[in-house]
Amino acid sequence: GGILHLILLDQIGSVYDLAYAGTYGTVKTMVIEMKNGKRYKLEFFGRHKKELSLVQAWIQKYNPNIMVQ
């Protein structure tokens, strides 16, 4: 039961990532902060943790004004 949000690239202010230990081991999270202050978290587990940097690069490719921290 999650909620699907449509995140428009021109509304993103910044993107950053964090890592923490969870039930399934280390989890990498990408936080997308919108210009209006809302935050969305995308979690990457297992072998998908490597894909976080690819997603960040894709976002920045289509909107170079987004700050990646």
Side-chain angles (χ1 to χ4, degrees):
I3 298 173
L4 178 65
H5 292 276
L6 180 61
I7 299 173
L8 303 174
L9 290 173
D10 64 338
Q11 298 299 313
I12 298 174
S14 65
V15 175
Y16 59 94
D17 59 87
L18 348 142
Y20 63 91
T23 306
Y24 302 107
T26 304
V27 177
K28 285 197 170 188
T29 302
M30 180 171 60
V31 180
I32 299 173
E33 188 168 334
M34 307 302 284
K35 291 178 181 176
N36 66 5
K38 275 190 160 183
R39 290 187 178 129
Y40 299 97
K41 294 180 181 179
L42 302 173
E43 295 182 333
F44 295 78
F45 300 93
R47 67 176 189 257
H48 298 290
K49 290 187 281 189
K50 293 182 254 178
E51 297 169 0
L52 184 141
S53 59
L54 297 173
V55 174
Q56 285 180 334
W58 182 87
I59 289 171
Q60 194 165 36
K61 175 183 174 185
Y62 287 99
N63 187 347
N65 297 323
I66 296 172
M67 184 183 345
V68 177
Q69 304 171 357

